[in-house]
Amino acid sequence: MTDFRSVEAAEFRLAMRNLASGVAIVATGTESTRRGLTVSSVTSLCMDPPCLLVGVNSSSETHAAVLANGRFGVSLLSRGQEDLALRFAGGAKGIDRFATAPWQQGVLDVPLLEPALGGLECVLHHHQLVGTHGLFIGRIVATHGGNGDPLVNFQGELRALPQA
């Protein structure tokens, strides 16, 4: 398999624009040590034990914080939360990202967005570096339901699915 070259990053990015994916905020920490970022790389991994997989750029402060804390929350975003998604994608830094929305600390003491489509609390089960990103496998210990229509990333834009 090493005889094959990898595609260029720009080519890969262009191809992946056509895969619609949910938008979420991964967060960890308490009070002034809260860290979080927007991700569109969250997927269920297995049901026994219930686990999810999330990819986080290894240069981000959230990556280091999740490793240090060993737990994280995933807040699933809905229609109308585009500004919050952009804020956590780079519009603000550190604890300042949390200033414009209500947050609660879950049972694992991780930040969860209060008006989210859903929330999951995870303990870190496994971590693996692959290229520029860390893959976190989180064992889910609590879930939180919500209301709304999902926010998705498609062709480089944040969109809501059409209502049925």
Side-chain angles (χ1 to χ4, degrees):
M1 296 296 282
T2 58
D3 294 344
F4 297 98
R5 73 163 183 85
S6 295
V7 298
E8 296 296 323
E11 181 181 355
F12 177 59
R13 187 176 298 112
L14 187 61
M16 293 306 294
R17 288 171 53 95
N18 293 313
L19 177 64
S21 57
V23 181
I25 293 176
V26 171
T28 192
T30 59
E31 298 179 17
S32 65
T33 66
R34 284 181 175 176
R35 296 296 178 264
L37 78 169
T38 300
V39 299
S40 57
S41 56
V42 176
T43 190
S44 63
L45 185 60
C46 60
M47 294 298 157
D48 188 18
C51 291
L52 60 75
L53 173 74
V54 62
V56 176
N57 192 308
S58 60
S59 67
S60 74
E61 58 187 7
T62 302
H63 182 275
V66 170
L67 283 177
N69 292 327
R71 60 189 75 184
F72 58 94
V74 178
S75 298
L76 307 175
L77 300 185
S78 62
R79 174 192 311 267
Q81 295 179 319
E82 294 86 352
D83 288 344
L84 191 59
L86 294 172
R87 182 176 185 81
F88 274 77
K93 297 291 180 201
I95 189 66
D96 293 338
R97 290 182 171 179
F98 295 85
T100 63
W103 295 84
Q104 63 180 348
Q105 293 297 121
V107 298
L108 289 177
D109 208 21
V110 294
L112 295 167
L113 181 64
E114 284 190 31
L117 185 60
L120 303 115
E121 296 185 58
C122 303
V123 293
L124 183 57
H125 179 72
H126 184 73
H127 172 262
Q128 178 71 46
L129 283 174
V130 178
T132 59
H133 281 62
L135 300 179
F136 292 102
I137 296 175
R139 185 173 51 82
I140 302 165
V141 299
T143 64
H144 307 270
N147 298 316
D149 299 315
L151 186 63
V152 297
N153 183 0
F154 181 65
Q155 294 184 337
E157 294 181 18
L158 296 174
R159 306 171 183 214
L161 294 178
Q163 294 186 347

